[in-house]
Amino acid sequence: TERLFIRRYEMESNMDVITLLDASGSMAYQPVELKRLTKAEYGSYLAASLSYLVRKQQDAPGLVTFGTDLFEFVPPRQGEQHLFGLLARLNSLKPSGETDLGQALKSLALRLKRRSIVVLISDCHGDTESVVDGIRHLAARGHDIIVFHLLDADEVEFPFSALTSFRDVETGGQLMCDPLRQKKRYMERLDTFRTAIRDGTVACGADYRFIDTSQPIETVLRDY
């Protein structure tokens, strides 16, 4: 035709990106500042944002919710309707019950048939060794893992001052204590807990990011 043409294509990379979202009772903790999102709400918005971004870059988002085991498994798939369905499930999430993150990670490893990126959003409460072992189990099967270790800002700052009765939102157990006298010990144990999860995660070759519910979600995503 004696004319120049440019052919442009939109490449599909077909990478599966699965968000593993903690839906146990501890994620429903109601913060002292009532306007702040709960961990479950924050985690749902973070999962929704990630799924949207994955879809925009022509990859396949998936979703798994868990407590003591897997609650719901939405296989990764491309397409706008699939994304809308995934967002609707996030919107209806009702966290409840106890958690066993280590077991949930091992169950997921058995369900995934192809190499994927797994994004874990959880407060990682429970037995630390079991959590790290579950991450190691996934990594050994060739999956890339990103851990967003999510805590409420109250858990990080421990803002309580008056004599307080603390209730475990998963088991119902209660403990009365003086927060001012216990704060130093609490902060030390929290630091030990965070360090163990971080070091164990990094040792497995996974990415680790600690976040709390006072941080804007867009800032967390941009910085990562």
Side-chain angles (χ1 to χ4, degrees):
T1 61
E2 296 184 354
R3 296 174 61 190
L4 298 177
F5 290 87
I6 297 176
R7 287 187 175 184
R8 301 180 64 185
Y9 298 91
E10 193 171 77
M11 185 181 69
E12 294 186 359
S13 64
N14 294 319
M15 174 62 74
D16 291 345
V17 183
I18 299 168
T19 302
L20 181 60
L21 179 61
D22 192 339
S24 63
S26 64
M27 297 291 284
Y29 166 76
Q30 185 63 55
V32 172
E33 186 182 332
L34 297 178
K35 292 182 179 180
R36 196 167 62 237
L37 298 174
T38 66
K39 287 184 286 185
E41 292 168 336
Y42 191 102
S44 294
Y45 283 127
L46 182 57
S49 301
L50 286 168
S51 298
Y52 175 80
L53 293 172
V54 168
R55 163 75 180 86
K56 289 288 285 184
Q57 67 179 27
Q58 306 302 316
D59 286 323
L63 175 68
V64 178
T65 59
F66 71 92
T68 53
D69 208 335
L70 305 185
F71 287 159
E72 192 169 26
F73 183 91
V74 182
R77 194 175 298 121
Q78 293 184 350
E80 191 170 305
Q81 290 304 313
H82 172 71
L83 176 64
F84 289 159
L86 191 150
L87 296 179
R89 294 186 189 214
L90 285 170
N91 191 49
S92 62
L93 183 71
K94 304 287 186 199
S96 63
E98 298 184 40
T99 183
D100 188 343
L101 176 52
Q103 178 57 42
L105 290 167
K106 291 177 182 177
S107 296
L108 179 62
L110 295 175
R111 295 286 296 270
L112 298 180
K113 303 303 181 185
R114 55 177 286 180
R115 184 174 176 272
S116 308
I117 295 176
V118 178
V119 182
L120 170 62
I121 303 172
S122 173
D123 55 21
C124 297
H125 287 323
D127 182 69
T128 304
E129 290 185 7
S130 176
V131 171
V132 174
D133 187 54
I135 294 173
R136 187 181 299 112
H137 205 76
L138 263 179
R141 290 174 173 257
H143 303 292
D144 293 325
I145 306 166
I146 304 166
V147 176
F148 285 106
H149 189 183
L150 171 63
L151 293 183
D152 188 88
D154 291 350
E155 294 177 286
V156 177
E157 299 167 3
F158 205 66
F160 313 100
S161 56
L163 187 66
T164 306
S165 177
F166 294 93
R167 180 173 61 86
D168 188 320
V169 292
E170 293 190 5
T171 66
Q174 288 186 278
L175 176 67
M176 180 73 72
C177 79
D178 180 353
L180 292 178
R181 295 185 63 182
Q182 297 293 331
K183 183 170 183 175
K184 181 179 178 182
R185 185 184 180 199
Y186 171 86
M187 298 302 289
E188 289 172 349
R189 295 186 67 175
L190 175 65
D191 186 62
T192 299
F193 165 64
R194 287 176 52 180
T195 300
I197 295 294
R198 182 197 64 206
D199 292 352
T201 298
V202 172
C204 295
D207 282 355
Y208 175 88
R209 292 292 184 277
F210 179 79
I211 55 177
D212 69 63
T213 53
S214 68
Q215 297 173 256
I217 292 174
E218 64 272 20
T219 302
V220 171
L221 287 171
R222 183 195 64 205
D223 290 350
Y224 180 75

